[in-house]
Amino acid sequence: MEFRRKALENLRQPDDLDSPVRLTRPRAWAVLAVVGAIIAGGLVWSFQGELARSVDVPGILTHPLGVSKVESPQSGTVSNVLVETGKVVTKGDRVLTVVDAEGATKTVRAPFSGRAIALLVGNGQYVTAGATFMTVERTDGENDRLVAVLFAPADKAGMLKIGDRVDMDVASAPAQAFGLMRGRVTAMDQFPQTEQQVQDFLGGNKLLATQLLDQGGPIRITVDPDRDTHRPSGYRWTTDSGPPFRINSWTQVKGIGRLPGERPIDWLLPR
């Protein structure tokens, strides 16, 4: 009976039809405003923003003519090696003496100027005519200078053009300590090189050629480092001073090509 009495009393009471209804709290409006601002900012950034792009290509610091083999003009026993690895030789310098079958001593002279990269014979060894006994990094080119020669696959090479900025991570000067060497693309081969051509440019160094072709590709790109005579290295770097020592050739590098930026919206709506 108590339940029935309370039910009748509820029926007699008018409904609160004139009371306001709260749809959202002020805190919810604030959250919606923040979300809306984020969405609007994202839309503006997707059309007006720019994403930095780069392409990495392996290579080596060397001279434009690369490394060439020096062959013995005659057979015989090596009696004296007159050059050391790393030393500079001038065209015509005596580099080797060989005793032939008749006991006569023959002098072998450097056919070109450069720096000795590797000596493949020693005193007392027998060499045959035409055999390579030394490799020399050529410095006798018409416009000789230190350059970075990069080897890129076709798809990456197509992203670069002459004049593009390329920064280089030099193996002998860690980027974490000294930054990157700065440079620009000055030449690009139109056609891919064969493995043999790459080996010949590297003085027959098959291991290095294989490494560069595996990590990169057969398109050769020449990058000239930016010179700066006021820095110890002689070149410009991304840091204020760069390394406090000279950079030698025949040092491996990783070229980082700086490409034009791309709008985020182009990722979703490619042209």
Side-chain angles (χ1 to χ4, degrees):
M1 293 297 293
E2 182 67 22
F3 172 77
R4 184 176 180 181
R5 184 177 62 81
K6 289 183 177 181
L8 292 172
E9 288 178 357
N10 289 335
L11 290 174
R12 295 192 189 100
Q13 294 177 358
D15 294 333
D16 296 332
L17 298 178
D18 57 343
S19 299
V21 178
R22 177 177 293 178
L23 298 177
T24 59
R25 297 179 180 274
R27 183 179 299 176
W29 283 113
V31 172
L32 289 175
V34 171
V35 172
I38 292 174
I39 294 175
L43 289 173
V44 172
W45 174 74
S46 65
F47 283 93
Q48 303 296 329
E50 188 175 83
L51 296 173
R53 297 189 301 154
S54 64
V55 56
D56 297 346
V57 181
I60 190 167
L61 289 175
T62 184
H63 291 257
L65 293 181
V67 177
S68 294
K69 301 174 182 178
V70 181
E71 299 176 347
S72 176
Q74 65 261 319
S75 301
T77 302
V78 176
S79 58
N80 200 3
V81 178
L82 303 173
V83 66
E84 297 178 3
T85 301
K87 298 297 183 179
V88 174
V89 297
T90 303
K91 182 179 179 179
D93 284 352
R94 298 167 66 243
V95 293
L96 198 70
T97 57
V98 177
V99 179
D100 63 16
E102 285 74 32
T105 299
K106 304 292 185 178
T107 299
V108 180
R109 298 182 181 274
F112 35 71
S113 299
R115 186 168 67 97
I117 295 297
L119 293 172
L120 308 178
V121 298
N123 293 343
Q125 286 186 256
Y126 186 84
V127 295
T128 57
T132 300
F133 69 88
M134 179 173 66
T135 56
V136 174
E137 185 179 34
R138 302 280 296 272
T139 59
D140 58 339
E142 186 175 332
N143 184 23
D144 182 64
R145 64 202 188 279
L146 183 70
V147 297
V149 178
L150 310 179
F151 293 90
D155 58 338
K156 290 186 177 181
M159 298 179 184
L160 297 171
K161 61 182 184 298
I162 293 178
D164 280 354
R165 166 69 59 194
V166 174
D167 294 333
M168 289 162 286
D169 187 349
V170 181
S172 60
Q176 296 86 344
F178 305 115
L180 304 172
M181 178 187 280
R182 313 219 71 173
R184 289 188 183 277
V185 176
T186 55
M188 295 181 66
D189 287 357
Q190 293 185 347
F191 302 101
Q193 294 209 331
T194 65
E195 184 176 356
Q196 188 60 52
Q197 286 176 309
V198 176
Q199 284 188 39
D200 290 343
F201 180 78
L202 300 173
N205 192 325
K206 184 175 182 179
L207 180 62
L208 180 57
T210 300
Q211 182 179 351
L212 291 175
L213 291 174
D214 285 346
Q215 295 180 0
I219 305 295
R220 189 170 67 177
I221 300 172
T222 302
V223 176
D224 273 52
D226 295 343
R227 295 183 178 276
D228 188 343
T229 56
H230 296 95
R231 303 195 184 195
S233 66
Y235 299 96
R236 194 157 68 92
W237 298 72
T238 55
T239 56
D240 291 337
S241 60
F245 48 81
R246 301 291 296 183
I247 299 298
N248 294 322
S249 60
W250 209 240
T251 300
Q252 287 188 253
V253 299
K254 180 178 72 173
I256 305 172
R258 305 300 181 185
L259 304 177
E262 187 175 42
R263 297 186 310 167
I265 192 63
D266 292 335
W267 286 16
L268 299 176
L269 302 174
R271 297 175 183 179

